[in-house]
Amino acid sequence: MSETRPHKDPTRTEQAPRSSSRHRSGRKKSAGRRLRIIPFGGLGEIGKNMMALECGDDIVIIDAGLMFPSEEMLGVDLLIPDFTYVLQNRDRVRGIVITHGHEDHIGALPYLLQALNVPVYASRFASRLIALELKQKASKLKPELHEVKAGERITLGSMAVEFFAVCHSIPDAMGLIVHTPLGTVVHTGDFKLDHTPVIGQPTDLHSLALLGTRQVLLLMSDSTYVELPGYTPSESMVAESLERIISDAPGRVIIATFSSLVSRLQQVLDIAAKNKRSVVVTGRSMEGIVKVAAESGYLTIPPNTVSKFEQIHNLPNDRVVILTTGTQGEPTSALVRMANKEHPQVRIIPGDTVIMSATPIPGNDELVSKTIDNLFRLGANVVYGSVSKVHVHGHGSEEELKTILNLVRPKYFVPVHGEYRHLARHAKLAQKMGVARDNVFVLNNGDVLELTESGGKVTGKVPAGDIVASGPMTGELDANMLRDRRLLSRDGVVVVTASYSPDNGTLIGVPEIVGKGFVDMRGNGELLRGAQDVVMAAVGRAHRTSKERSSLEAQMRDTLSGYFFSKTHRRPVVIPVVTGL
Amino acid sequence: MSETRPHKDPTRTEQAPRSSSRHRSGRKKSAGRRLRIIPFGGLGEIGKNMMALECGDDIVIIDAGLMFPSEEMLGVDLLIPDFTYVLQNRDRVRGIVITHGHEDHIGALPYLLQALNVPVYASRFASRLIALELKQKASKLKPELHEVKAGERITLGSMAVEFFAVCHSIPDAMGLIVHTPLGTVVHTGDFKLDHTPVIGQPTDLHSLALLGTRQVLLLMSDSTYVELPGYTPSESMVAESLERIISDAPGRVIIATFSSLVSRLQQVLDIAAKNKRSVVVTGRSMEGIVKVAAESGYLTIPPNTVSKFEQIHNLPNDRVVILTTGTQGEPTSALVRMANKEHPQVRIIPGDTVIMSATPIPGNDELVSKTIDNLFRLGANVVYGSVSKVHVHGHGSEEELKTILNLVRPKYFVPVHGEYRHLARHAKLAQKMGVARDNVFVLNNGDVLELTESGGKVTGKVPAGDIVASGPMTGELDANMLRDRRLLSRDGVVVVTASYSPDNGTLIGVPEIVGKGFVDMRGNGELLRGAQDVVMAAVGRAHRTSKERSSLEAQMRDTLSGYFFSKTHRRPVVIPVVTGL
């Protein structure tokens, strides 16, 4: 097909992987017998998952997630994948398939769909969350959203995608079996092998086992928890601990968990009902998801269990459960407000039991610890940490990853979802489990892996950097800007303004010096006067060599920086502004 | 004594704990029968340990440590305790006793001794590190430094301090038995119960057991690892894993650990010697401490084991071990330089084995993960994490803390060293172990706990905030300054300079707008021109209501902030400077 189809986008051929342009104009059959795997996110990082499968003239996109940046990316709210390659090949994109409704798999959809209106295929629960996401972003988009079920099969150009049930920390998660002209690809999505999930089905091992008896071309499998030995415990294990803690609690129970972890919400509601406690739900995302999950039948609310704050005032404390957001210590979350005595309805009192039914995502440990400390200070008994058994996570541990490798027995293996060390470790595991060394690929985002009948090879690189999304805007991550912010955050800024008289090469009046985030200049007259003196002296010196504004300003900046460092051992960013030149 | 001694410092009485001033002028016997415990750091935080024991007219200070600030304290290098109370009572301070040589116990000494020249008592190894610390800070201080041994007893006014051996992740750590007129106080320092430490003695359980048969007034015990169930494994366990990894490694072994963890260094040297590998030591603090530890006999270097980089060039890779700093992902450390291809002597190559013989301190996880990822990317095999058994930590776990409580059987208990949740948990543990509920005190820094024959009570509060040390300077932590830095770090800064003509109430020329850490203004002419327009319009409006410079500037700031947010969804700090008024 490719040779006859008009190129709508003239830049397309240029941007395609280098080695492929020659082949693309080749024979149809050969083009169809070549499969490209291009990850745009989710490799070497946790979050922002997105990948393209490309076969002949057809591209299928798997997931489009966002990622919350690390601490050092000052002022950056969200990161999304770079869509350049996808948009340059927009006429070949047949659809987007979604594995599940977590933000790191659907969060970039509002941005992607804005630029590329193609059909989206997702489970029912994921579809509801996509709609919620679009609504919260005040997006006017009406995407072509198809609800699909595990077991269903859709055709996208020369590829067919079959969905299979996986168990994960959100309802309705699915893995993908992609039938391509070159062979079968299995993508696990995020999964664990929970044989007794509280809601939904266990991971569909039968389908995978059956596939394993035929030749599977490629397995792509979740690497997030490859570092953990053994098996991840079942969600149902949590019930025992929660039941014991809630029934023993002398007063209110405040329980924080992930809002999309609907099975956990279900357990809390059931245990509360059994213990004749009323449940109040607080926190924006928790209220939103409880509503969606209950409406769509994923969450069954026991009769007379959920109340509003107004209704529980007269209840004794040991008849109350408060279900809340804030497991990650997010400053504006309901739990953190309680810990800081800022929640409009809840004041923590001695006798309260707070359950942290979650683990901190790496990078959030300090915020979470501070929240726990503050809750203890207010007299609450806080139950947290792995010893307390009030949380199990949603990804398979080492033995589960081995199980999948053993069942699927793929020819090629690409570890996905995880930081680089996880991918490297998962790659080794696959080799140990019998995948040929040369058939295991640890990819970086943007790598183009090309599989043909004769083998696999990384043949090129496409743009796959971090794109900053802030509000409705997106833009490339600007390293200079981040460097400036880092400098500003260390010792603040000092602005020095001077009016220059070119006639006699001196300043008119004294220079004006204003600081922000540096030392208190007004309370430190000596420092200020000294700074004015060195600026005036610098202008005098500069005058002799150059009357250029830029050199005058550079001289002022350097002199003042040196002066401040000698006096304060700090290095504020100095911004000089000279007028009159 | 107190009533006859002249008050050298007239402010002293004012600053003493509120409720105590009345008693101080009372009878000698009663004054001596009152013990005050005042923590200045180390409670509700990890690090910055310092405490005063006060009895009648005598004050003994325990430790004087520093602390590295959390991420959110932008630009703050170090935190030290507030010395106000100690300096106001300087004539009563009899000496400083040091439990061990870690920075969080000795790092504030250079600052404290600068203001208060009193004798310091420390173990031999801690003394060497104090000397090293003073040298590195280029301090000219020559403190009166006394080397003491476990078993030794010194008299400090009405109190006598006896030192006892404890096992910790640094040689020569000691706990304290303080004999006071009111009774015996036991302070564990940092400890674990390692029965087979690689160097030094196990924790002296005999002395504690013996004390337990008499009445101990007060126990203060390390709470850092109270969250961990069971026992902390012995340092000797690490030997097996290290031996196996080093002897199996196909190429070089690069091992990172804490420089003061001399027992670990000893194990590495011994295993290297046994495997006929040469060891090169790299990283400033590692080189410094290896030298000090070898000179003072804490580290025994096997013959022909330690080499320099020049000497190993001709050795095969499997004959080399590199011992390095960088376990916490510190950006300038030797290991991080290797991971970033910036180390002058070491390029990581496939076949290298890197051992992270340490765990990340909370808050450093991301830096450490990034370092491990980068090492994997360069082809190294990285061994890390608890499963690999290449590290054990230096603090006692829950059962060890229970052992101490059980042996000492104190009347009063004060948990020390840990964040608030650790203290709260340790307090509960003590109650479970039989200490009366009312005799357990979870203190905050600055609390004055007063013990008398009739009971214990928090009777006041003294200053104990965070003091920022940067270079040789110290100053109070300024919340406004941090807030400004936080704002600057989010969206940068914009300076708008305008020259005002009071005669006709307009600006002369167009306002000058310079940004830093905001969007690229030069590359965005439309944004810049729009900003100039709104500023000029704002000045026109302001002119009608007020000709005050401050109101004109406020108007410019508000208008420009609003404009930038509407255009970019960012909120830079706007600094207006109007000249001509």
Side-chain angles (χ1 to χ4, degrees), chain B residues 176-476:
Chain B
L176 311 171
I177 300 162
V178 188
H179 303 278
T180 80
L182 195 71
T184 304
V185 175
V186 175
H187 186 294
T188 63
D190 287 354
F191 80 99
K192 66 174 183 173
L193 300 184
D194 190 340
H195 301 292
T196 52
V198 169
I199 56 178
Q201 309 157 44
T203 297
D204 179 2
L205 297 178
H206 295 92
S207 295
L208 295 180
L210 209 64
L211 277 176
T213 62
R214 302 190 274 270
Q215 174 69 276
V216 170
L217 180 70
L218 167 66
L219 170 66
M220 298 193 272
S221 181
D222 178 10
S223 314
T224 316
Y225 275 81
V226 65
E227 289 176 349
L228 293 190
Y231 292 86
T232 302
S234 169
E235 175 71 20
S236 59
M237 191 206 77
V238 175
E240 283 175 42
S241 321
L242 289 183
E243 170 106 49
R244 185 178 40 76
I245 297 163
I246 293 177
S247 63
D248 289 357
R252 295 185 299 186
V253 172
I254 296 159
I255 175 162
T257 191
F258 298 108
S259 53
S260 59
L261 185 42
V262 178
S263 54
R264 194 68 48 82
L265 310 185
Q266 186 67 63
Q267 302 199 72
V268 171
L269 291 175
D270 292 346
I271 294 168
K274 203 168 146 190
N275 284 274
K276 301 201 174 42
R277 286 183 182 249
S278 283
V279 179
V280 181
V281 178
T282 184
R284 183 162 160 269
S285 72
M286 189 65 86
E287 295 168 42
I289 293 201
V290 164
K291 191 159 173 280
V292 167
E295 284 171 1
S296 49
Y298 291 95
L299 188 67
T300 309
I301 299 183
N304 306 319
T305 301
V306 170
S307 301
K308 292 197 182 311
F309 279 115
E310 312 72 282
Q311 301 170 309
I312 59 163
H313 282 310
N314 298 324
L315 285 181
N317 287 334
D318 64 358
R319 289 278 159 268
V320 172
V321 168
I322 297 169
L323 188 56
T324 178
T325 53
T327 58
Q328 301 304 309
E330 308 93 320
T332 59
S333 65
L335 184 68
V336 174
R337 285 175 176 203
M338 295 177 204
N340 295 343
K341 301 200 243 181
E342 287 165 0
H343 192 278
Q345 283 98 7
V346 186
R347 284 275 166 280
I348 298 289
I349 51 172
D352 283 346
T353 302
V354 179
I355 304 174
M356 298 292 275
S357 186
T359 36
I361 292 166
N364 294 341
D365 309 65
E366 273 186 282
L367 285 173
V368 174
S369 296
K370 209 202 255 173
T371 305
I372 296 173
D373 284 337
N374 287 338
L375 292 165
F376 267 121
R377 269 182 224 277
L378 296 173
N381 179 27
V382 191
V383 184
Y384 64 99
S386 58
V387 184
S388 61
K389 296 188 177 158
V390 289
H391 180 62
V392 295
H393 57 79
H395 297 267
S397 302
E398 190 182 3
E399 295 302 318
E400 289 158 271
L401 304 186
K402 282 157 77 175
T403 305
I404 294 294
L405 278 160
N406 195 18
L407 282 177
V408 176
R409 293 187 293 191
K411 182 170 179 192
Y412 296 101
F413 180 68
V414 171
V416 294
H417 306 169
E419 299 189 30
Y420 197 87
R421 62 190 184 283
H422 304 134
L423 306 180
R425 206 160 172 143
H426 203 179
K428 275 198 190 150
L429 202 61
Q431 288 164 1
K432 229 193 275 178
M433 301 288 297
V435 183
R437 198 183 176 83
D438 289 349
N439 290 353
V440 176
F441 297 93
V442 178
L443 300 182
N444 288 299
N445 294 325
D447 280 351
V448 178
L449 171 63
E450 197 162 299
L451 301 182
T452 62
E453 270 157 11
S454 60
K457 208 171 137 185
V458 173
T459 57
K461 189 99 189 164
V462 302
D466 287 320
I467 299 294
V468 174
S470 102
M473 291 194 32
T474 61
E476 270 181 58

Side-chain angles (χ1 to χ4, degrees), chain A residues 352-356 372 375-376 380-384, chain B residues 425 428:
Chain A
D352 283 346
T353 301
V354 180
I355 304 174
M356 298 293 275
I372 296 173
L375 292 165
F376 267 121
N381 179 29
V382 191
V383 183
Y384 65 98
Chain B
R425 206 160 172 143
K428 275 198 190 150

Side-chain angles (χ1 to χ4, degrees), chain A residues 491 494 496 513 518 527 530-535 538 541 553-576, chain B residues 473:
Chain A
D491 290 327
V494 172
V496 49
I513 298 181
F518 180 49
L527 184 72
Q532 287 168 331
D533 289 346
V534 301
V535 169
R541 281 195 306 280
E553 287 183 346
Q555 182 84 34
M556 281 164 66
R557 183 175 50 237
D558 296 347
T559 311
L560 207 49
S561 296
Y563 170 76
F564 283 135
F565 185 72
S566 72
K567 293 291 174 190
T568 65
H569 276 251
R570 296 183 188 172
R571 297 191 184 280
V573 172
V574 175
I575 303 180
Chain B
M473 291 194 32

Side-chain angles (χ1 to χ4, degrees), chain B residues 123-180:
Chain B
S123 68
R124 193 151 67 97
F125 193 61
S127 299
R128 301 292 162 105
L129 294 185
I130 292 168
L132 190 66
E133 181 88 27
L134 288 168
K135 194 174 148 197
Q136 284 173 350
K137 286 229 160 56
S139 169
K140 295 209 172 60
L141 292 176
K142 296 267 173 248
E144 189 188 326
L145 194 52
H146 300 274
E147 283 184 20
V148 286
K149 277 199 191 70
E152 237 175 274
R153 184 185 174 121
I154 57 170
T155 302
L156 295 170
S158 57
M159 291 176 269
V161 180
E162 214 181 308
F163 297 85
F164 67 97
V166 298
C167 186
H168 185 43
S169 48
I170 189 168
D172 249 8
M174 303 189 299
L176 311 171
I177 300 162
V178 188
H179 303 278
T180 80

Side-chain angles (χ1 to χ4, degrees), chain A residues 70-72 74-75 77 227 369-370 373 377 381 384 419 421 428 444 485 489-490 512 517 549, chain B residues 71-72 74-75 77 227 366 369-370 373 377 381 384 421 428 444 485 489-490 512 517 549:
Chain A
S70 63
E71 211 46 79
E72 68 196 26
L74 298 166
D77 295 325
E227 289 176 350
S369 295
K370 209 203 257 178
D373 283 337
R377 270 182 223 277
N381 179 29
Y384 65 98
E419 299 190 29
R421 61 190 184 284
K428 277 200 185 147
N444 289 301
R485 287 183 188 169
S489 77
R490 279 201 59 82
E512 178 113 22
R549 176 174 168 172
Chain B
E71 230 15 278
E72 69 195 27
L74 297 165
D77 296 324
E227 289 176 349
E366 273 186 282
S369 296
K370 209 202 255 173
D373 284 337
R377 269 182 224 277
N381 179 27
Y384 64 99
R421 62 190 184 283
K428 275 198 190 150
N444 288 299
R485 288 184 187 168
S489 76
R490 280 200 60 83
E512 178 114 22
R549 175 172 170 175

